[in-house]
Amino acid sequence: MRKRKRRFNIKQAVVGVIAEYNPFHTGHRYHLDEARRLADADQVLVVMSGPFTQRGDPALFSPRARAEMALLSGADMVFELPALYAVNDADRFATGGVNLLTSLGCTHISFGCEDLNQSLFQRAVALITEPEPSFQQNLRSALSAGRSYPFALGNALAAALGTNALALPNNILALSYLNAIHQYKSPLIPIPIRRSGSYHSLTTAPGVLPSAAALRRAVLTGNWPGIQMMTEPAVMRIIERELQRGLVHFPGSLDMALRTMLLTADPCVFNALPNVSEGLDRLILKYREHAVSRDELLGMMKSKRYTHARLSRLLTHFMLGITAEMMVERPRYARLLGFKQRATEHIRFVKRSGFSIIEKAARYDREDPEHILDMRAYDLWAMGVREPFGYGWRQSPLVDPTD
């Protein structure tokens, strides 16, 4: 009697989360648990930024260590968001994440936001998709006055909607996710979860969900009581292990490399960078010989028009060799960072759908420019922790990590 093949249950719910986990804290655990509960999900799938974050900074810990934190804290599988999307503005970050979750077979997407008023978000998406004349005028006026695009957009939305609630950090990303779902006609069902506390808060207190910024400061200053307050024991042990191994990316670790690259680069290189309009290339040339650190250079360049995040991303694009021509609409693959055995069947289902999943970098197309870029990001991150080149090529997925 011939054995029947086991078929994947396409009706199972898989909730997707787009994250950075820089690093993972108890607020992230709460989000994963709530996402699973509210979506009644069989699996929780995380798409996470790689060696560099959306603001252009090197992540404190490696993608592998951060994936391990997530897998020990509620995630069933963790994939990496390619650098072209991970190190980019909110819209492109969201576009890459939403399209990747869709390609990976998710049925839902969960995200944190300060406001759960879905009608407000729907009206905002409609304005961005089909802008009214007054909305366009307000947007153009703010840009003409030398304000940044995020500020101009927030100002125009506030005037049209009668509230500035969408200017809050998590609401901005939530709006970008919903806009990407609408734009690409993704079947993802949104599951918003209220984000309490300040996104940038550096304070810690018992019973209050922490911020990643507060946890980063605790790690960098050796504040172990603070680390213990903001993480679960399994995550705290990973932090301690990575510190002992010297695999923590301290601020300023790449300053000398950046300065050397800036001083030796041909001026035409800066003009080819993404989003380098309005004379930004000339601004880099003006200050590149005067700043002795990344932070000092950013301080010299920052203005009402050029936000710190935009300039930081620009410098990382320069170091990685990202050009405007490299920008593609959606990811062509996903790098698997780790998974639990119960997620194996879903991963097989995605592979059967034809979407590429990279388990070992060396087995994927070595001439794919997007893949080469991701490996370059690993090498640049490794330089900051004094690891040899080839760091990304040596990585393999975590399977059922145990504390």
Side-chain angles (χ1 to χ4, degrees), residues 63 97 104 120 178 247 260 268 275-276 352 397:
L104 290 170
L120 182 66
L178 293 170
L247 294 178
T260 302
C268 67
N275 302 316
V276 71
R352 289 197 297 269

Side-chain angles (χ1 to χ4, degrees), residues 281-300:
D281 53 334
R282 295 191 295 275
L283 200 61
I284 298 174
L285 290 170
K286 179 180 178 180
Y287 292 116
R288 67 173 176 172
E289 296 182 3
H290 305 287
V292 297
S293 70
R294 181 190 182 97
D295 283 345
E296 188 174 347
L297 179 59
L298 290 173
M300 291 176 176

Side-chain angles (χ1 to χ4, degrees), residues 149-348:
Y149 179 77
F151 178 92
L153 178 62
N155 185 66
L157 287 172
L161 302 174
T163 174
N164 62 358
L166 295 184
L168 296 170
N170 287 282
N171 283 349
I172 292 171
L173 261 181
L175 178 59
S176 295
Y177 294 143
L178 293 170
N179 190 41
I181 290 171
H182 175 81
Q183 180 182 352
Y184 291 95
K185 297 179 173 56
S186 169
L188 292 172
I189 301 170
I191 304 288
I193 295 174
R194 185 180 297 280
R195 171 69 161 88
S196 61
S198 171
Y199 182 76
H200 300 293
S201 174
L202 294 176
T203 60
T204 59
V208 178
L209 293 180
S211 70
L215 181 53
R216 285 195 298 275
R217 186 173 74 166
V219 171
L220 294 172
T221 59
N223 177 9
W224 287 101
I227 296 172
Q228 186 175 25
M229 188 185 300
M230 291 182 277
T231 63
E232 295 182 334
V235 171
M236 186 171 178
R237 282 190 280 273
I238 294 172
I239 291 174
E240 186 175 17
R241 182 195 72 201
E242 297 300 287
L243 280 166
Q244 290 173 348
R245 292 177 177 178
L247 294 178
V248 179
H249 210 292
F250 285 87
S253 299
L254 293 175
D255 281 1
M256 186 58 70
L258 172 62
R259 191 179 182 193
T260 302
M261 293 175 71
L262 284 171
L263 292 174
T264 57
D266 189 297
C268 67
V269 169
F270 303 115
N271 192 47
L273 295 172
N275 302 316
V276 71
S277 58
E278 304 154 343
L280 255 179
D281 53 334
R282 295 191 295 275
L283 200 61
I284 298 174
L285 290 170
K286 179 180 178 180
Y287 292 116
R288 67 173 176 172
E289 296 182 3
H290 305 287
V292 297
S293 70
R294 181 190 182 97
D295 283 345
E296 188 174 347
L297 179 59
L298 290 173
M300 291 176 176
M301 296 170 63
K302 187 177 181 299
S303 66
K304 289 190 300 182
R305 182 181 295 275
Y306 307 127
T307 65
H308 184 281
R310 179 181 176 182
L311 294 170
S312 179
R313 280 193 296 269
L314 186 70
L315 294 181
T316 301
H317 287 165
F318 163 70
M319 295 190 80
L320 291 175
I322 298 176
T323 66
E325 292 182 352
M326 294 175 67
M327 293 296 169
V328 292
E329 194 169 71
R330 60 183 80 192
R332 296 189 297 269
Y333 61 79
R335 178 170 289 101
L336 180 61
L337 296 174
F339 64 98
K340 294 177 181 174
Q341 288 290 354
R342 62 173 174 261
T344 303
E345 192 61 31
H346 182 79
I347 293 169
R348 288 174 181 164

